[in-house]
Amino acid sequence: MTDVDALLGRLDLPAKVRLLTGADFWSTVAEPAIGLRRMVLSDGPAGVRGESFDERDPSLSLPSPTALGATWDTDLARRYGAALGAEARRQGVHVVLGPTINLHRTPFGGRHFEALSEDPTLTGALAASYVDGLQSHGVAATPKHYVANDAETDRFTVDNRIGTRALHERYLAAFEPVVARAWAVMSAYNAVNGATMSENPLLDEPLTGTWAFDGLVMSDWGAVRTTEASALAAQHLIMPGPSPVWGDRLVAAVRAGRVPESVVDDKVRRLLRLASRVGALGPPPSADPTAEDGRAFAREVAAAGTVLVRNTSELPWDAGTIRSVAVLGHGASLARTQGGGSATVRPSAVVSPLDGLRAALGDDVVRYRMGARVAEGVQPFAQATITNPVTGGQGVRAVFRDADGTELLAQDRLASTLVWLGPEVPAGTDHVELRARWAAPAGTHRVGGAGVGAMTLTADGITLLDTTTTLPDGAGPGAEIFEPPGATAPLDTAGDPVDLALRLRPRVSSSLPAVAVTLGEEIVVDDPEAEIAAAAELAAGSDVALVVVGTDVESEGTDRTSLALPGHQDALVRAVARANPHTVVLVNTGAPVLLPWRDEVAAVLLGWFGGERFGEAVADVLLGEREPGGRLPTTWPATGSESAVLTGVPDDGVLRYEEGLHAGYAGWLRSGEVPAYPFGHGLGYTSWTLDALTVDGPDVTVALTNTGTRAGRQVVQVYLSRDDSSVERPARWLAGWAVVDAGPGGTTVRVPIDARAFRHHDGSGWAVEPGEFTVHAGFSVTDTPLTARILTG
Ligand code: BGC
């Protein structure tokens, strides 16, 4: 191990402080004098993007963390982390910015898809395994965002007021087992109980104090706002750089005696320790251990996380007897395979449900109709439909120019939605142009662009658009990348290719430049009812129907304002279900949505954002090649207006976690409201009975029987409750679980119960109330036929 103290002693104060702010968007500062190389940081958490959003350098895109949460499978979570570790090593990345372990406090949360579950114990266990897998490759994990970044509204400034017990028993509890092994942690943008997290006392206690976290706390991007308060807190690295917030100002504060130099030394020690752990200091990392096939793994996780919430003996379909399948829904062809924001990666290819079914059953069996539009605004063109006018190959020509029109940078890109950050934006940029020849089908289209600034678009040299787009007031940093406004104009084509040229003059900040631009088309349905009728007709003439429904936007930066499916999708499902009794709905969202027709269809599958092999996994599950292995990691509401459905909307800058301990399923149990589907629910393709529960020391043993004829997967869940408690408690809480893969017949499974399941926080520390706890075992939080008692104290 590197002698960190010896190296520290060779640096003077300015040299030490220099290391504590990032070099640029995605890397830390090198110090050749002590052999310190730069460390590359990359988002996370469902892929490793690398240092740019560049589709020419593709990354593995795994199913969204909600899908991983739905597996309840710590072995799979370890492999998920390991697959990302291999990806990171392949791309020269030392630190992955994930997993995201904020809790699903509200289904409206824009980053819900990116987090694992509503339960701290489930989240903590899965994330700990993810971290182990990732770090086994010598790549640091960065669990984020510490703590309580559970919604996006006013995310930079919101003050989340959380009672001591809920803070410790829920939000910090999810972090505790994860930071026990992680080499880095990211502090959050938001404040908790009055102090912004980049300078909050929670960084000292419990994180670096009681929990003895010896890694590095990096800021969320741009979260550090003060020099001294943040330096005096256990906040160790400012990202990204350059930033004036520490630098010379911190050197001056140390020299003036306002910040002890020992505080700087502690930060540098942690940075050097991290560098030595990831091979940026001392010997470079040894060769990458053998990695499994990431793409095959993506397909496996997507199926393992798919939750079958309803099945009236419809699924699995028999590929041998089905002669025609009507596939309907915008998302069937334009699948959402990942959520929006910093978690986005650029995979080499994406398999949509339509592609997956066609590959499995043949083009002659599978017939498609959109039925209802989902994605609004300008969507990038499919790569196969655009030709670069310079190379003649697929894609677009992107050129940056200065005010005189001199070319500063030219790139041949494959995608027509592009992002450049930091030094990727050439100095002196006045505007960026995207040019492509589009193979437009005959008809009327709405073509256009998305981006912030003055925009023109020409088609075959004729100006279609000349406008200026702006962000709405109050849009947060990053909005120009995550939610760029768009503009479109009508274009009639007779079927001949069209030469399109989009020119955007972006507003570029000199400190942290960012340019995002999209050239594409907005899908418009002139007569939604006729489109639905055509879809229903296709379904009526087919053996079975699959409707894929989904959300338009789920992204970092904004919370959703409604849980209803956008557009005409509910009407589409109902019309198709009326036309064909064998209608299966695949819900392609990262977070809960309302399914008001759920009892009117033959089966409902929740496929989440299924990653780059989504469509193959969908076909595997529909045709019974694989078990839909998932169980809900989060309660799905029925109407969205139940009192148990919390919101993330602050009042005057303050968001009160008034529910205290009663969030998630505990809130539903307390209110007595009935959700659409409870926490832990999910069906497989076989049937099970629960036979016996025995308490055996710290663990419990459950006997169960697969009463069907095929092998299947079940998740045996164990909850605790406490009658006549002297302290307030949730109605019940998850204490342990076991994933069982078993063929027909009886089986016995041991479910370990962590001693922490019995503790509560008494305001000053952890305590265990002596007496009897009730153990409930079953297949969801509300389906627990077996009970037993455990005595403590
Ligand atoms: C997000 C982080 C992310 C960082 C870098 C921030 O806006 O909140 O989760 O890691 O950007 O992309």
Side-chain angles (χ1 to χ4, degrees), residues 26 43 97 111 144-145 155 186 189 220-221 342 556:
W26 305 118
D43 291 302
L97 307 176
R111 297 182 88 164
K144 64 189 187 184
H145 311 81
R155 66 174 172 150
M186 186 186 292
Y189 286 126
D220 200 345
W221 265 229
S342 60
E556 174 178 340

Side-chain angles (χ1 to χ4, degrees), residues 267-344:
K267 298 182 199 310
V268 176
R269 255 188 221 107
R270 287 167 182 272
L271 183 114
L272 296 180
R273 190 179 299 135
L274 175 65
S276 123
R277 283 171 162 163
V278 300
L281 183 63
S286 49
D288 192 10
T290 352
E292 64 179 315
D293 176 348
R295 299 199 74 223
F297 179 64
R299 179 175 182 168
E300 180 185 339
V301 184
T306 298
V307 188
L308 178 63
V309 289
R310 171 182 171 83
N311 191 15
T312 54
S313 308
E314 177 65 30
L315 293 177
W317 284 336
D318 179 357
T321 57
I322 287 183
R323 285 157 296 123
S324 52
V325 183
V327 176
L328 311 158
H330 201 176
S333 63
L334 193 71
R336 287 289 301 277
T337 55
Q338 48 181 329
S342 60
T344 308

Side-chain angles (χ1 to χ4, degrees), residues 48-64:
V48 181
R49 191 176 54 243
E51 285 185 85
S52 71
F53 283 82
D54 195 325
E55 72 294 339
R56 296 169 299 178
D57 185 10
S59 308
L60 177 68
S61 168
L62 292 178
S64 57

Side-chain angles (χ1 to χ4, degrees), residues 531-729:
E531 181 61 30
I532 288 174
E537 198 183 313
L538 187 65
S542 304
D543 287 349
V544 295
L546 175 72
V547 190
V548 181
V549 295
T551 40
D552 178 18
V553 179
E554 285 181 58
S555 173
E556 174 178 340
T558 28
D559 288 326
R560 289 188 295 156
T561 53
S562 166
L563 302 184
L565 289 168
H568 300 271
Q569 297 183 91
D570 287 336
L572 171 67
V573 173
R574 288 199 158 110
V576 173
R578 275 195 303 272
N580 189 322
H582 300 285
T583 293
V584 174
V585 178
L586 170 67
V587 183
N588 175 203
T589 68
V593 286
L594 306 180
L595 313 172
W597 33 256
R598 61 190 179 280
D599 295 333
E600 299 162 31
V601 299
V604 180
L605 284 165
L606 313 182
W608 313 105
F609 293 148
E612 64 180 88
R613 302 289 291 272
F614 183 42
E616 287 159 321
V618 166
D620 290 343
V621 166
L622 288 171
L623 303 174
E625 291 294 318
R626 290 182 199 245
E627 175 93 350
R631 301 294 180 272
L632 284 179
T634 288
T635 312
W636 275 46
T639 66
S641 52
E642 298 95 338
S643 66
V645 176
L646 305 172
T647 82
V649 181
D651 186 6
D652 211 9
V654 170
L655 180 63
R656 293 177 200 282
Y657 285 33
E658 274 164 355
E659 73 286 356
L661 301 171
H662 311 283
Y665 57 82
W668 288 91
L669 291 173
R670 183 170 68 155
S671 72
E673 293 157 318
V674 180
Y677 300 109
F679 179 80
H681 173 69
L683 309 165
Y685 288 153
T686 182
S687 49
W688 301 83
T689 55
L690 274 165
D691 306 329
L693 165 66
T694 39
V695 174
D696 180 10
D699 300 340
V700 303
T701 301
V702 176
L704 68 164
T705 304
N706 175 348
T707 55
T709 54
R710 57 179 283 161
R713 167 168 281 214
Q714 184 54 276
V715 179
V716 175
Q717 302 159 38
V718 174
Y719 298 86
L720 293 179
S721 70
R722 177 76 190 228
D723 293 333
D724 304 323
S725 178
S726 61
V727 293
E728 185 186 355
R729 291 182 184 272

